[in-house]
Structure formats: C-alpha cells, structure tokens
Amino acid sequence: RSFGGCAHSYADYDDVQVDLKDKDWDIQPLETDTDWLTHNYEPLEPFTVSRFFIHDEGFEGDAPDGLFSLQIKADSAFGSGAHPTTKGCLQAMAELKAQGVCPWNVLDMGTGSGILALAGWKLWKTPILAVDNDPRAVDLALAHQEINKIPGGASNVIIEHS
C-alpha cells in the first residue's frame, strides 16, 4: 500500500528509531492568564511552526518556499496553531516526518479546528480520521478542510462527530 510517497509494509518499521528528546524544541511556560477563547477570535498574524505557515483568511500571498500553508480562521474551536501545545504537536509531527516515519493512518481525537489532521495529511498524504464531540468544532474542521483544499474520503481525511 502506498500513500504520499510512503510505501508501507510492517517490515518498514522493524529498524525505525525515532528520537525526539535531543531536538531544539521551542519550550515555553504556559500562560495561565490567557483567555484562549477570546484570543482565538482575534485576527491571526501569519506565523511559522516548523514546516507549516499558518495564517487566516486576511493573508494575501503565498506561503514561503518549502512550507505547507494552513489557513485557519479565527473561531471558538481550539487549534489555531498559536497555543504552545498545538505548536509542540506540529513540531513533533514535522520531526517524525524528517526522521522517515510514514504512518499507515492518523487519528486526531478531539480535532478542534482540524489543524493537526490537516497538517498530517499535508505531511504524509495518508488516511486521517479527525473526531470531535463538539458539533461546532466538526463544522469548523470541515470548513478548514475545504478552505485548504484537502480531499475527503476514506483515503484522505474524514472529519466526524463522535
């Protein structure tokens, strides 16, 4: 089976050694006074996390060369990419890709905005299931899927309510 340039067989993973502990991570203390709900409604200034260029609908232009563009609109669902936990996940995913990891499929449980599911598809072009128990989050994730021109269906990205 092959997706996104990754030919899969179980033998592919026999010798894979993943090392994330010695990387140059951007570790920051969490700001406990930040009202993240209010923050998510503010215009999103374009920024980069690893291989991802994240922006809102107000950005005009192209992503810098070599970076994957992710358009995320300001809304109430968690996952603009600005929160340190989301940044950390995006950094870890890009590092796994750089180390040759090609997953058979990806689960984004509690998808929120869908940013991690969409980033995973851009990295690996492998089937992704994104699930959330908040119907508004599912609607937003589906909107982001469409905005970012990520195909749906069993071999691509499926976003659904749990």
Side-chain angles (χ1 to χ4, degrees):
R1 185 173 119 178
S2 178
F3 291 100
C6 297
H8 291 291
S9 77
Y10 291 110
D12 292 341
Y13 294 102
D14 289 345
D15 297 321
V16 172
Q17 300 292 320
V18 176
D19 179 12
L20 297 177
K21 65 181 174 234
D22 294 328
K23 299 301 166 197
D24 184 22
W25 297 105
D26 181 17
I27 299 173
Q28 303 172 0
L30 289 177
E31 297 175 28
T32 55
D33 343 343
T34 301
D35 178 352
W36 285 100
L37 182 59
T38 301
H39 180 73
N40 280 347
Y41 279 102
E42 295 170 358
L44 186 64
E45 290 297 319
F47 63 99
T48 300
V49 178
S50 190
R51 297 182 61 189
F52 303 101
F53 179 72
I54 302 165
H55 58 91
D56 66 12
E57 60 274 6
F59 174 76
E60 294 180 13
D62 296 322
D65 287 343
L67 297 181
F68 294 112
S69 173
L70 286 170
Q71 181 178 324
I72 302 297
K73 55 191 225 174
D75 209 305
S76 60
F78 185 76
S80 67
H83 192 274
T85 57
T86 309
K87 284 183 181 179
C89 290
L90 291 168
Q91 288 173 327
M93 291 168 66
E95 183 57 36
L96 289 169
K97 172 70 174 182
Q99 291 186 30
V101 173
C102 285
W104 284 80
N105 47 46
V106 173
L107 171 64
D108 182 4
M109 183 60 76
T111 195
S113 70
I115 190 170
L116 297 178
L118 304 179
W121 191 86
K122 287 192 177 223
L123 284 172
W124 292 295
K125 307 285 191 289
T126 197
I128 296 181
L129 175 60
V131 180
D132 205 296
N133 65 356
D134 181 346
R136 293 171 301 173
V138 171
D139 290 343
L140 182 61
L142 287 166
H144 286 149
Q145 181 179 12
E146 184 177 333
I147 290 166
N148 287 281
K149 298 177 176 60
I150 306 281
S155 295
N156 297 300
V157 178
I158 299 173
I159 299 172
E160 59 185 41
H161 184 265
S162 61

